[in-house]
Amino acid sequence: MTFFKQLCLIALILSIAFSCKKEDHWTPIFNGKNLEGWTPKIKGYEYGNNHNNTFIVEDGILKVSYKAYDSFNNTFGHLFYKTPYSNYRFRMDYRFTGNQIIGGRPWALRNSGIMIHCEDPKNMELDQNFPVSIEVQLLGGNGVDERTTGNLCTPGTHVFYKDTLVTEHIIKSSSKTYHGEQWVHVEIEVRNDSIIKHFINGEEVLSYTKPHIGGGAVNTGDKWKPKENQHLKGGYISLQSESHPVEFKNIELLELK
């Protein structure tokens, strides 16, 4: 073997080793057994009250369940992970199941989300519907229409999209529509207050920059007005309950430098 070929072989081996080492840093943040490390905040209830067992674990899967509900009654919920992050990749699989509970909003059909850069849930008001955050919206198809997933919603926030300030509440992604109860893989790359990217089944479907406080969609009056335009450099991660049963699994996080 020539010296040049030896160098190429060494470079290839090092590249593979580095890739494997990096992959090893993915950390499961859901243990598949219980809600350890995760705490609910449901509208109308104190932080830590898992009203009607909205969030449960069965067969290694984290589920949003409405078995104990008579009607939804605007009890929007969020399940928060214990640790705030700034620079990371987050990934998991999700799927919608069954039927929406009575009382759910029409737009909440097969609708959930991953909230990132969330405010501290301990500071949320009792009747607050959503945390100030950036939402990676997860949508399931209705069996007929096109309905993208991995969209962006902005409760109490704004972003720049294609170098332009966007104040609309929703920016649609370029994803396909996923009907039925199939599992869908979602991944998010979060780089502090610079750039955020959404991936669905391995394909980048949306990216935007400069997340900051602004706008409405959070029922807290003028509480956040003094912080208008403040950049969001990090925060908590939460998973939504919005009236349609949904399941999550393989929830992992990779911290970035």
Side-chain angles (χ1 to χ4, degrees), residues 1 27 71 82 126 133 146 148 154 177 186 194 199 202 238 243:
M1 182 181 292
T27 302
S71 64
K82 62 182 179 181
L126 187 69
S133 57
E146 290 187 4
T148 59
T154 52
T177 300
V186 57
S194 58
F199 301 83
S238 69
S243 74

Side-chain angles (χ1 to χ4, degrees), residues 27-232:
T27 302
I29 58 174
F30 165 58
N31 64 19
K33 300 175 182 178
N34 52 45
L35 296 178
E36 182 180 355
W38 295 83
T39 305
K41 172 62 185 82
I42 297 173
K43 183 179 181 291
Y45 298 89
E46 296 287 351
Y47 174 71
N49 185 340
N50 190 11
H51 172 64
N52 278 344
N53 285 323
T54 302
F55 299 99
I56 62 174
V57 178
E58 292 180 338
D59 302 321
I61 296 173
L62 175 55
K63 299 181 180 181
V64 172
S65 170
Y66 296 103
K67 294 177 183 178
Y69 280 69
D70 293 322
S71 64
F72 185 61
N73 197 29
N74 292 326
T75 48
F76 295 101
H78 298 82
L79 186 67
F80 288 86
Y81 189 60
K82 62 182 179 181
T83 307
Y85 296 98
S86 294
N87 297 283
Y88 60 95
R89 293 179 74 99
F90 173 96
R91 68 187 183 187
M92 71 174 187
D93 301 305
Y94 74 92
R95 69 171 182 171
F96 294 95
T97 62
N99 298 315
Q100 184 182 26
I101 186 175
I102 294 171
R105 306 286 183 87
W107 52 260
L109 175 75
R110 300 173 67 79
N111 188 339
S112 185
I114 308 162
M115 320 297 278
I116 61 175
H117 281 359
C118 291
E119 63 174 294
D120 188 336
K122 298 183 186 68
N123 297 332
M124 289 178 64
E125 297 181 7
L126 187 69
D127 290 321
Q128 189 170 336
N129 48 11
F130 306 102
V132 169
S133 57
I134 295 294
E135 177 186 349
V136 181
Q137 185 188 49
L138 308 177
L139 294 178
N142 60 16
V144 178
D145 304 305
E146 290 187 4
R147 202 174 188 226
T148 59
T149 188
N151 305 315
L152 165 69
C153 294
T154 52
T157 55
H158 293 318
V159 302
F160 280 72
Y161 176 62
K162 297 182 178 179
D163 297 321
T164 301
L165 174 65
V166 176
T167 58
E168 288 82 2
H169 181 53
I170 298 176
I171 299 176
K172 290 186 176 182
S173 79
S174 61
S175 85
K176 302 173 184 177
T177 300
Y178 296 92
H179 299 290
E181 297 190 355
Q182 61 185 296
W183 287 101
V184 179
H185 185 73
V186 57
E187 186 169 326
I188 313 161
E189 181 178 333
V190 181
R191 300 280 184 171
N192 203 283
D193 63 345
S194 58
I195 187 167
I196 299 173
K197 299 179 181 180
H198 300 182
F199 301 83
I200 298 294
N201 285 344
E203 295 184 5
E204 183 178 327
V205 296
L206 185 64
S207 67
Y208 46 93
T209 61
K210 302 176 183 176
H212 59 276
I213 294 171
V218 174
N219 58 334
T220 54
D222 294 329
K223 175 181 177 179
W224 291 89
K225 198 71 176 175
K227 296 184 178 181
E228 195 91 10
N229 298 319
Q230 178 178 306
H231 280 218
L232 290 172

